[in-house]
């Protein structure tokens, strides 16, 4: 066994047998922000066999305070987060297979990527995608680990299909705050605490030490010195539309998926076109509209007081407004 993992192997619950299992497993991470980058680094350093990372966004300077795989150059170049993350992760451990996707996560886009996934980790920032994940992973019997943080607070819970309450059960029993990082801020220790809980649970699942799994929801507030674990077994509902006796998986229906959405607390609207863009043609067409910056993955356009960021996969982020109507109007004026 490679000496680089010797200290991990010395930890008896993992050992050589557990290390071999880790190196044979495939983990999917949804999101490449604060939680996603820290979880990805922990798994890559631990020798995970394959890691798939999905994110729709690019690196900005405000990310650098807590999103640990990114550099100032990544922000200047507006590098897609998954590309910047992969570049750094490959430098950390070249033996790990790392697959990345610059895309919006939906039921349709995620399904082809699930064939050999052993575990998924939630590193998203909104409940639209979490409910899709909840339905999708329940349907495909993939365990996943929920995590969220804002301010100095955070929470985590391990969801096992057919065994534990699902996310919809939990949120029906315990509504969560609508606060976001952009409205109340965040400190990096809160991120690391959530990641510590998520990745520890991940290691337990990867080495198949199921008896050691934490069955409770954990919540904390580091600044105010609060830490709590909550027994949520009674939250499981017999007729839950996701994990009940007759599931409908309603969040996987096309009609329930957002086509235009205001991104979490960011004064930004995303519009999905349903087609790929030829960025070279767009750049030629928009060059007289405003200042343009491009890289192999996206086009950025400064227009009046707004910034358009256009991805090849048909998505456009319109920064500077939280009005979907206004964003659509400018989108159709400039892009068509």
């Amino acid at each position: 066994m490679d000496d680089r993992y010797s200290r991990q192997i010395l930890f008896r619950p993992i050992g050589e047998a557990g290390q071999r299992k880790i190196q044979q497993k495939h983990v999917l991470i949804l999101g490449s922000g604060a939680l996603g980058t820290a979880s990805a680094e922990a798994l890559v350093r631990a020798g995970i066999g394959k890691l798939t990372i999905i994110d729709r966004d690019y690196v900005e300077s405000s990310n650098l305070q807590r999103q640990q795989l990114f550099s100032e150059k990544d922000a200047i170049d507006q590098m897609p987060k998954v590309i910047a993350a992969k570049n750094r992760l490959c430098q950390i451990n070249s033996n790990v297979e790392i697959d990345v996707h610059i895309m919006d996560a939906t039921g349709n886009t995620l399904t082809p990527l699930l064939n050999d996934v052993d575990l998924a980790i939630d590193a998203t920032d909104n409940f639209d995608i979490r409910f899709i994940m909840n339905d999708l992973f329940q349907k495909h019997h993939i365990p996943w680990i929920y995590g969220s943080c804002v301010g100095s607070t955070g929470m985590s819970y391990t969801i096992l299909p057919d065994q534990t309450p699902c996310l919809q059960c939990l949120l029906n029993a315990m509504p969560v705050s609508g606060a976001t990082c952009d409205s109340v801020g965040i400190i990096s220790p809160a991120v690391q605490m959530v990641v510590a809980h998520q990745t520890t649970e991940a290691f337990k699942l990867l080495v198949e030490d199921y008896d050691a799994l934490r069955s409770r929801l954990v919540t904390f507030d580091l600044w105010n010195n609060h830490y709590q674990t909550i027994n949520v077994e009674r939250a499981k509902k017999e007729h839950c539309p996701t994990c009940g006796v007759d599931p409908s998986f309603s969040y996987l229906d096309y009609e329930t998926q957002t086509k235009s959405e205001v991104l979490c607390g960011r004064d930004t609207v995303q519009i999905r076109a349903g087609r790929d863009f030829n960025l070279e043609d767009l750049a030629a067409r928009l060059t007289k509209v405003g200042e343009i910056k491009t890289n192999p993955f996206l086009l950025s356009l400064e227009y009046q007081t707004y910034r358009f960021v256009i991805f090849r996969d048909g998505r456009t982020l319109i920064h500077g407004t939280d009005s979907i109507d206004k964003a659509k109007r400018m989108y159709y004026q400039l892009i068509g």
Side-chain angles (χ1 to χ4, degrees), residues 17-28 43 47-52 95-98 116-119 143 202-210:
Q19 186 63 42
R20 280 193 291 270
K21 289 177 180 178
I22 290 172
Q23 291 176 267
Q24 295 167 357
K25 298 294 177 64
H26 178 190
V27 175
L28 172 70
L43 289 167
I48 190 67
K50 180 178 179 180
L51 186 66
T52 296
N95 295 319
V96 175
E97 180 183 353
I98 300 174
D116 61 348
V117 169
D118 298 291
L119 168 67
F203 288 143
K204 295 173 188 178
L205 285 164
L206 294 172
V207 304
E208 302 171 14
D209 187 1
Y210 304 117

Side-chain angles (χ1 to χ4, degrees), residues 78 286-293 299-303 306-310 334-335:
Q78 297 182 324
L286 297 174
T287 188
K288 295 182 179 180
V289 173
E291 181 181 350
I292 288 177
K293 292 177 65 176
L299 178 156
S300 176
L301 166 69
E302 300 293 334
Y303 173 70
Y306 307 96
R307 180 156 50 95
F308 284 61
V309 179
I310 305 166
L334 299 181
I335 300 174

Side-chain angles (χ1 to χ4, degrees), residues 97-166:
E97 180 183 353
I98 300 174
D99 186 26
V100 299
H101 299 269
I102 310 168
M103 71 180 201
D104 213 18
T106 68
N108 290 335
T109 59
L110 286 174
T111 297
L113 305 178
L114 300 182
N115 291 336
D116 61 348
V117 169
D118 298 291
L119 168 67
I121 294 179
D122 166 32
T124 63
D125 63 359
N126 71 83
F127 278 93
D128 285 340
I129 181 55
R130 285 188 178 118
F131 281 126
I132 291 174
M133 291 164 57
N134 193 51
D135 275 7
L136 196 63
F137 298 150
Q138 193 76 29
K139 182 177 181 180
H140 290 269
H141 304 282
I142 297 171
W144 67 288
I145 305 170
Y146 163 72
S148 66
C149 55
V150 66
S152 61
T153 68
M155 63 175 64
S156 180
Y157 182 66
T158 302
I159 299 174
L160 305 177
D162 304 322
Q163 297 182 46
T164 67
C166 73

